[in-house]
Amino acid sequence: MKRVLSGIQPSGQLTLGNYIGALKNFVEMQHSHECYYMVVDLHAITVPQEPAALREQTEAVSALYIASGLDPAKATIFLQSHVHQHAELGWMLTTLTYMGELERMTQFKDKSAGKESVGAGLFTYPSLMAADILLYNADLVPVGDDQKQHLELTRDLAHRFNQRFGDTFTIPEPYIPKVGARIMSLDDASKKMSKSNPNQGSFIAMLDDPAVIRKKISRAVTDSGREVKYDPQNKPEVSNLISIYANCSGKSVAEIEALYDGQGYGPFKKDLAEQVVAVLEPIQQRYHEIRKSGELYDILRQGAERAAEQAEKTVKTVKEKMGFLAR
Ligand code: AMP
Ligand code: TRP
């Protein structure tokens, strides 16, 4: 069985973009792969976090994992900070990463742009992400389009380590969905849908009330035409809404175009809102049950135990190969 690993940061609310670009694939892959899914809390602190907010968000994202359908009996679900080997291998890989490589990362450029002071962790973030993946010798990493560059660096680091110290790491492949790899903002189709956008109307949060979801979709920006047609070049807003529709309904783009042929945007948007609500409402119900039940802590403890077993094997090998003395 191929091994899969991925993670999401517990910083702010998860959006429909996170669900379609990442979580939905996590759930699908658990049936046919050996999966490791974590909440990357160590990555979250690369920008300032209020401790109480970090605690709440970490619990919320973990609960959303389970509520979305991740099954602790099938996948190993854990917090990055519960497995100390991430920080350990992260440091070792940082020493193998070139400054120039990190300087080229677009996520770093975006997140540091215009900031007066930027923590060094935001810069070395990709080396920690490489450690996350290489610790488990993952074959596949399901992520949205924006993480492709980080995956390339991970592959380069794995090659570099293997060449310098002997064959150790599996070279991972990104797994990026064909439709929905990049869900765009509802108010501006040139920006990806993001929880950090100050305009609440620009994103659908996974925990938004159905009434709020309907309102946000009815207000989503479209062009002045009336043709429901997938054409990202000329109709980026409508194409984005079609991607969302396709992902939430399981219908193909062609089916959706045919369904709304000659009808204009009104009926299309109305149905789209219902498709999104139909996906998110059951997840929200399970989410509240899970948060109430307290079962999360057991799941995360067991997940961390399983993950640590694998992670420790890798760190032991890496230390030997790099020349650290055994205890
Ligand atoms: P982040 O919220 O940046 O930690 O992202 C977590 C995962 O969700 C990553 O795999 C991202 O690539 C994915 N993701 C985030 N935003 C979007 C989006 N707007 N469209 C598609 N995937 C996304
Ligand atoms: N950098 C990823 C993001 O912002 C989160 C992440 C951290 C991750 N470690 C990972 C994703 C390992 C996949 C695999 O979305």
Side-chain angles (χ1 to χ4, degrees):
M1 247 203 274
K2 288 212 164 166
R3 213 174 257 185
V4 166
L5 176 135
S6 198
I8 298 183
Q9 294 192 56
S11 42
Q13 305 202 39
L14 292 197
T15 68
L16 189 61
N18 293 125
Y19 180 72
I20 293 173
L23 257 176
K24 189 165 168 271
N25 293 314
F26 294 6
V27 175
E28 279 163 19
M29 292 175 102
Q30 70 182 341
H31 303 294
S32 45
H33 297 78
E34 182 188 342
C35 296
Y36 291 86
Y37 296 124
M38 55 183 175
V39 178
V40 292
D41 47 4
L42 295 175
H43 275 107
I45 61 165
T46 56
V47 296
Q49 300 287 344
E50 274 309 320
L54 181 62
R55 263 191 290 275
E56 164 58 27
Q57 273 309 123
T58 304
E59 213 174 303
V61 173
S62 311
L64 274 174
Y65 272 18
I66 314 287
S68 298
L70 288 186
D71 177 355
K74 292 208 168 87
T76 301
I77 300 162
F78 64 103
L79 304 184
Q80 187 186 27
S81 66
H82 283 179
V83 181
H84 63 75
Q85 289 84 353
H86 288 259
E88 203 172 357
L89 184 64
W91 170 250
M92 295 171 196
L93 293 180
T94 301
T95 67
L96 295 182
T97 314
Y98 303 127
M99 298 285 285
E101 290 176 313
L102 296 173
E103 277 159 5
R104 280 198 294 276
M105 293 292 132
T106 57
Q107 182 171 301
F108 173 72
K109 287 193 231 172
D110 291 348
K111 286 197 176 178
S112 60
K115 296 250 161 59
E116 225 170 78
S117 60
V118 174
L122 194 63
F123 190 60
T124 59
Y125 174 120
S127 309
L128 178 61
M129 176 162 164
D132 297 341
I133 297 166
L134 301 181
L135 265 181
Y136 302 94
N137 281 308
D139 300 290
L140 283 176
V141 183
V143 281
D145 201 39
D146 60 333
Q147 295 301 313
K148 226 167 151 176
Q149 200 187 21
H150 288 156
L151 247 296
E152 273 307 316
L153 178 64
T154 303
R155 290 164 56 88
D156 290 345
L157 287 172
H159 272 302
R160 193 169 301 155
F161 189 98
N162 288 351
Q163 273 192 337
R164 209 175 285 179
F165 302 106
D167 220 13
T168 308
F169 292 126
T170 305
I171 313 295
E173 300 271 351
Y175 179 89
I176 296 172
K178 283 194 193 73
V179 178
R182 195 175 274 261
I183 299 298
M184 309 312 281
S185 209
L186 298 180
D187 64 344
D188 176 356
S190 70
K191 288 197 288 216
K192 77 163 188 171
M193 182 182 280
S194 166
K195 51 207 172 195
S196 52
N197 191 320
N199 175 9
Q200 294 280 320
S202 74
F203 63 84
I204 293 173
M206 286 184 72
L207 295 174
D208 270 347
D209 227 47
V212 173
I213 295 172
R214 291 187 182 101
K215 193 187 271 171
K216 285 180 175 177
I217 290 178
S218 78
R219 291 185 181 168
V221 171
T222 49
D223 49 60
S224 55
R226 58 188 310 276
E227 220 190 336
V228 178
K229 188 162 172 278
Y230 189 79
D231 177 358
Q233 285 291 313
N234 301 305
K235 294 169 78 74
E237 298 86 4
V238 172
S239 301
N240 183 43
L241 297 180
I242 294 177
S243 290
I244 296 175
Y245 196 125
N247 268 286
C248 290
S249 66
K251 285 195 167 62
S252 72
V253 168
E255 283 175 293
I256 296 164
E257 286 174 345
L259 205 55
Y260 297 98
D261 188 30
Q263 291 199 53
Y265 298 147
F268 165 68
K269 275 184 156 186
K270 218 161 170 231
D271 291 352
L272 169 61
E274 296 317 313
Q275 295 289 349
V276 174
V277 168
V279 168
L280 292 183
E281 209 173 24
I283 294 177
Q284 296 176 357
Q285 275 165 8
R286 284 199 294 273
Y287 170 84
H288 293 297
E289 285 162 19
I290 291 158
R291 295 266 340 228
K292 247 188 265 149
S293 77
E295 66 191 294
L296 204 53
Y297 285 90
D298 282 337
I299 293 171
L300 294 176
R301 199 176 309 115
Q302 284 165 20
E305 270 171 32
R306 262 192 276 167
E309 215 175 288
Q310 180 59 42
E312 183 49 33
K313 279 189 201 149
T314 305
V315 165
K316 191 163 173 276
T317 307
V318 166
K319 280 180 153 177
E320 275 168 23
K321 295 208 174 181
M322 289 184 93
F324 290 100
L325 287 184
R327 265 212 293 188

